Amino acid sequence: MPLRNWYAEASRANWRTPADIKAAYRNASFTANNRVVFNVKGNDYRLVVAVHYDRGQMYVRFVGAHRQYDTIKAETI
């Protein structure tokens, strides 16, 4: 359910800058290559998205448990 809630909010959002995302998700982390890491379900899961601010598009690159997230490179996935 938390992932669905995030998706519903992100689908309606008009995030044009990292500050827009930070205003909605203060715990979001930003990495290289316009990747944003969201904590889902009280930090049990991580969601990594690639953001194209100029087009207003986001692409899910990774969804997984915190332990799985520790094995990837968020900036290149």
Side-chain angles (χ1 to χ4, degrees):
M1 188 73 150
L3 190 56
R4 287 183 194 189
N5 292 341
W6 177 89
Y7 180 79
E9 185 171 342
S11 296
R12 292 187 307 270
N14 187 23
W15 295 328
R16 296 294 181 175
T17 66
D20 294 338
I21 294 173
K22 201 66 163 171
Y25 290 92
R26 64 182 176 86
N27 291 324
S29 301
F30 300 87
T31 68
N33 295 324
N34 290 324
R35 300 298 199 268
V36 183
V37 181
F38 295 91
N39 298 321
V40 179
K41 194 181 175 209
N43 207 21
D44 285 345
Y45 299 96
R46 294 285 177 97
L47 167 67
V48 179
V49 297
V51 182
H52 294 273
Y53 296 102
D54 57 335
R55 293 181 279 191
Q57 296 175 331
M58 299 178 87
Y59 297 93
V60 173
R61 305 298 298 156
F62 172 84
V63 178
H66 203 292
R67 186 176 331 148
Q68 294 167 310
Y69 171 80
D70 290 341
T71 67
I72 68 161
K73 292 188 177 205
E75 60 275 356
T76 59
I77 194 164

